[in-house]
Structures are given as C-alpha cells and as structure tokens.
Amino acid sequence: MSVNSRIPGFYKLSPPERFKAIVERSGLPEGELASMVTADGKMLAIADRMIENVVGTLSIPLGVAANFTINGRDYLIPMATEEPSVVAAASNMASVARLHGGFWASSDQPIMISQIQVVGAKDPQAARLRLYERRQDLLDLANEQDPLLVKLGGGAKDIEVRIVNVADKTYVVLHLIVDVRDAMGANAVNTMAEALAPLVAQIACGRVRLRILSNKADLRLARVRATYDCQALGGPDVVDGIIDAYAFAAADPYRAATHNKGIMNGITAVVLATGNDTRAVEAGAHSHAAAGGRYTSLSHYEKDDAGNLVGTLELPMAVGLVGGATKTHPVAQAAVKLLGVKGAQELAEIIVAVGLAQNTGALRALAAEGIQKGHMSLHARNIAVAAGADGDEIEKVVARLKDEGHVRLDKAQTVLAELRQSGR
Ligand SMILES: CC(C)(COP(=O)([O-])OP(=O)([O-])OC[C@H]1O[C@@H](n2cnc3c(N)ncnc32)[C@H](O)[C@@H]1OP(=O)([O-])[O-])[C@@H](O)C(=O)NCCC(=O)NCCSC(=O)C[C@@](C)(O)CC(=O)[O-]
Ligand SMILES: NC(=O)C1=CN([C@@H]2O[C@H](COP(=O)(O)OP(=O)(O)OC[C@H]3O[C@@H](n4cnc5c(N)ncnc54)[C@H](OP(=O)(O)O)[C@@H]3O)[C@@H](O)[C@H]2O)C=CC1
C-alpha cells in the first residue's frame, strides 16, 4: 500500500498527535506500531526536545562491561549495543589484560579543527600568507565568541592555512585550531568559524563557502596499550593466530574494514551510552585508518619477550561531557556518573581501552575456536525470540539449538513447534 508522506506542519504536532497521524497514513492497525510509543511521559518530553518529529523512543540494551582496569583504576563501563557477545567479549579481554595491570591509555589535549573554505581568491598563495599575517586578529575574534571556553583554559589557539586544488579550482582553506576542553566541540567551533567568515573573506579577497568542523580530529588522538597473558589467551598458537589476523588486516582493506568494525563494536557502544556523537567518532576512526592513503588496521599487535601479546590502538576521539545528549539524556548522565570520569580526556581514554579489548576479544575467538561458537550461542536467544519463543520457552529453545549446533531461525521454529506439541 502506498503512503502519502506529505504532512505539512507535522513538526508542529505533539508526539501523540504525530503518532495518530502516522497510524492513519500508514493504514496499519495501531497495535502494530504501538511499541514505538512505550516511553513514559517524561522520557517522551525529553526525546521531543532532543530531535524533531518525535513519535516515541527506541530502547537499546545497556550492558555494563566488567573487569576493566585503566591507568591503574577500575571502571564499570556502560555499553549500549544491539549486538550479542560484544559486552561479554570486552569483559573477557579486560579480565585477561588485568593479569598484567590492565590498560595504559593517554590522550592529546582536546583540540578540534574548524574549516573555512574560501573560493574565488585571485591570488591564493598570497591570500594564504595574508591570513597568517592576521593570525592574532582571527584568534581574538574567534575567542570573543566563547568567553566561557576561554575562561576554562580552552579557546582558539592557532590557525593553519592550506591550499586545496580540485580540477581547475583552487580553494584557500583556513583551519581554526580550538581547544574545546570538556566538550565534543562541534557547536563551539562552528560558531567561531561562522563568526570569522566575513573577516577571512575580506583578508583572502574571496568568498567564504563552508564553515564547519572537520571530523578528521587528528589533533585529538587517544591511545592505549595492553599486555595479554599468553597462557590466559589460550597459548602461543592463539597469540600467533592473533598476530597473523592483525597482519592480514594491516595488509588487506577488505579484512581491515571488518577488523576495525570489531574495534567500533566497543567504541560505538560506550560513545552511545554516554550520549556522544557516534557518527563523529566513526568518521574520525575511519579517516584515521585511511590516513596513510590506504585503508588499514587501526590497531597493532606484537609479542613481548615472554611471548605475551601486546596490543595497541590509537585513533581520534572527539567525545565530551558538557554538550549534546550527554547533558540531556538521563541514561547518558547516569552512565557518566557510573564511570566517574572527571574530564573528556579521561572518557576518551576509557573508550579506546574498550575498543582495544573488543578487538582482541574478536581476534582471540577468530584465532581459536572461531567466532560462531561464542557469538552465535549468545545470539541464540535472539533467534529463539525471533522464532516466537516466549518466557520459559526461550532458554529451552536456546539449549536445543546449542546442543544440536544449529543456531538458525528455521531450526528454532522447528524446535519451538516440537516443544509446544509435546507440551514441554
Ligand atoms: C563470548 C565469549 C567471551 C565467551 O567465551 P568463553 O571462553 O566461553 O567464556 P567463559 O565462559 O570462559 O568466560 C570468560 C569471561 O567472559 C565473559 N563472559 C562469558 N560469557 C559471558 C556472558 N554470557 N555474559 C557476559 N560476560 C560473559 C566474562 O567476563 C567471563 O569471565 P567470568 O565473569 O566468568 O570471570 C567469547 O566467545 C568471545 O569473546 N567471543 C567473541 C565475541 C565477539 O567478538 N563478538 C563481537 C561480534 S562479532 C563482530 O561483529 C566482529 C568481528 C568478529 O567480525 C570482528 C573481526 O572480524 O575482527
Ligand atoms: N560534524 C559534526 O560532528 C557535528 C556535530 N554536531 C553536534 O554538536 C554537539 C556537540 O557540540 P559541543 O560544542 O560539544 O556542544 P555544546 O555547544 O552544547 O557545548 C559546548 C559549550 O559548552 C560550554 N561549556 C561549559 N563547560 C565547559 C567545559 N568544561 N568545557 C568545554 N565547554 C564547556 C562552552 O561554552 P558556552 O556555554 O559559552 O557555549 C562550550 O562552547 C553534538 O551534539 C554533535 O552531534 C553539530 C554539528 C556538526
């Protein structure tokens, strides 16, 4: 059935009114869409302020990874993800890393880059130098936009001016380099870039087009290392298998994409749980993986003298504690409280530690028993539910699927039918 999606002023309705409108337009029974609107009134009101055209909320499971020690301190780490076995794998590797002191992490100052694109400058090379000559004026104007940030020790710190050539065009691109302290910083630096645009256009004798941050936040790297005990991982062959898996990802972009997806399983889950911008972090990660001109592994693995596995990971980590959904979503606020973090850099360090643990967990499984055993046995619960199992039936179906080694929907449906027929 086709739906007429033109709804003038849809955004002006309340969430219940919008829901009524989409039920009418969809032609579906209300009951089939009712799960969209299960949030309580308070949460619905919060959601309605967070984004546009809200009808309801989507609950994503929130797990807490155990066993993490980072820079000598223990953390309970909230992770929001829909994917089974992610939290288990992170907790598992954190307990192995713990045997050698856990994760050791560090991070750069929270520096973001905002880009101002100038088009039509007749003398781009000279324009570039004129912009450098006015560096202090530009920084002063930027800092007038955010006195609080400056008071906190942040603010615009420097400029860089690049020439970008595309076909027959030349753009003069000014980078405003801003210390955003405990913010993710997008809004803060975008405000500065927009305020600077007229002066930049005047100095460069061109016209400004884009004024927006770069998600290639490569001045804001977070890094982590951990030593995983050889025996606890399963022995020297597993360690060698992990190193082979890493070498494969380092050399082959097809494998690197999956390898890095495994890292992002952990990273995105913590970024989301803390109300941070998952797309910004993901864009930063993948641009970093391709920084050398060829897409490759974000992590590295090697052996120490005793044959233990040493894992390292380094990537941009633009996360904050003061802006975005971190301040407006009650679950994100609770997640930040549970972590007990004092600043954005500490949060960034925790997130990369989870990314490394997640990556090592997946590689260990791949190098040892294969991914399906652990992942699919935890996924079996989803399959049982998808087959229609309810209450006690779920664990019974899961047990049969695992015993018989087939975690598949058709098998789950057959098992469920048999259970119901036999009345067990
Ligand atoms: C799932 C495990 C850990 C089981 O592994 P296991 O050896 O059966 O676990 P165990 O029963 O010996 O328990 C060891 C520890 O794991 C944790 N653990 C164990 N079970 C649970 C559970 N049910 N719930 C929560 N935590 C669990 C827990 O910390 C536990 O310690 P304990 O608490 O007993 O002292 C293992 O099979 C594993 O790590 N598998 C890999 C899972 C994975 O990586 N999933 C990601 C999804 S696949 C993907 O998207 C990415 C990928 C794979 O393509 C990336 C790539 O290719 O690189
Ligand atoms: N490409 C991208 O990634 C884009 C992302 N976004 C979105 O931008 C949002 C993040 O922007 P962000 O600038 O972090 O958010 P906010 O603008 O909400 O927060 C930053 C502001 O908070 C104030 N502040 C208070 N205390 C501190 C502190 N300790 N450290 C730093 N600042 C402090 C500052 O001054 P003051 O109070 O004076 O403002 C600062 O400008 C996210 O929701 C993201 O999704 C938006 C556009 C593009």
Side-chain angles (χ1 to χ4, degrees), residues 272-329:
L272 183 60
T274 56
N276 274 287
D277 185 333
T278 53
R279 289 82 55 214
V281 171
E282 282 161 5
H286 295 295
S287 68
H288 200 63
R294 188 178 56 84
Y295 188 85
T296 186
S297 165
L298 285 165
S299 60
H300 295 262
Y301 288 93
E302 56 206 352
K303 268 194 277 193
D304 71 8
D305 285 349
N308 299 312
L309 181 75
V310 180
T312 55
L313 174 65
E314 180 178 71
L315 72 158
M317 193 49 63
V319 290
L321 291 172
V322 297
T326 310
K327 267 288 175 256
T328 50
H329 199 295

Side-chain angles (χ1 to χ4, degrees), residues 112 145-149 152 179-191 212-215 275-277 279-281 320 322-325:
M112 296 297 282
Q145 313 309 313
D146 206 332
L148 178 61
L149 193 58
L152 292 167
D179 183 330
V180 297
R181 298 284 84 205
D182 291 322
M184 178 270 181
N187 288 327
V189 304
N190 292 343
T191 304
I212 188 82
L213 91 159
S214 170
N215 286 112
N276 274 287
D277 185 333
R279 289 82 55 214
V281 171
V322 297

